[in-house]
Amino acid sequence: MEKNKNKGNARKFDFYVLLFFLLAFAGWLWEVGIYLVTRQSLVNRGVYYGPYLPIYGVGGLALWFLLQKLHQKPIVTFMLSALLCSGLEYAASVWLEWKWGMRWWDYSGYFLNLNGRICLLGAVCFGLGGMLLNCYLLPAYMKLYHRIKPGWRLALCGFLLAVFILDITYCAIRPHTGHDIAW
């Protein structure tokens, strides 16, 4: 009986791929929306040309793996999400600057920033986003995921991964550094 219970909780590869792209796209929408409101300009914010920010996909998956058992503890989820995502954002900032010699964001003018790479406002937003994701949105995603036929899920994964790999390959040579992308 225990064996069947664990088998039912196992997740398939396509579950994580689709979740990654959903979160990366949501992160792209968030960033583009913020820029649209604050700067009144529509800008593709990100290292890649496609409508996704992989850091949000990676961060969301990390939150899923690390915090899924805390989905009924929103305050704990908020605090841990703020810490984990801020750490990821800091590391990504350091890596991007090391790799390309430029910054994609700079929070130097924000309250309680750390080397302009992260700030308190960002941490609060990450905490709220992680809490919303873990406590409310992921249960809805699981229901939607199970409504899609396995063949369609795999086809969608194949398409998304192919486009993403092409984008990564192109950007390894020529990163997306257009107007208002990098600092």
Side-chain angles (χ1 to χ4, degrees), residues 56-170:
Y56 284 89
V58 170
L61 286 175
L63 292 178
W64 164 260
F65 286 117
L66 297 171
L67 305 179
Q68 65 181 303
K69 293 182 180 182
L70 299 172
H71 71 275
Q72 293 181 339
K73 297 182 178 183
I75 302 301
V76 173
T77 300
F78 170 85
M79 298 298 289
L80 291 173
S81 296
L83 288 170
L84 292 167
C85 291
S86 292
L88 178 62
E89 184 176 42
Y90 193 93
S93 174
V94 169
W95 184 82
L96 286 169
E97 188 172 353
W98 171 80
K99 176 71 175 155
W100 301 108
M102 61 174 48
R103 283 189 162 193
W104 265 261
W105 61 88
D106 187 353
Y107 301 122
S108 293
Y110 287 78
F111 180 66
L112 288 179
N113 75 81
L114 184 58
N115 300 323
R117 298 182 189 283
I118 58 174
C119 67
L120 180 60
L121 177 61
V124 169
C125 289
F126 287 136
L128 290 172
M131 182 178 66
L132 180 67
L133 174 70
N134 198 47
C135 299
Y136 305 103
L137 297 179
L138 281 172
Y141 167 75
M142 286 189 269
K143 289 178 185 175
L144 177 63
Y145 168 83
H146 290 295
R147 286 185 167 170
I148 302 171
K149 292 182 181 180
W152 283 104
R153 291 192 311 243
L154 289 175
L156 184 56
C157 284
F159 173 76
L160 291 170
L161 286 169
V163 168
F164 188 59
I165 289 168
L166 287 172
D167 199 358
I168 287 173
T169 303
Y170 182 74

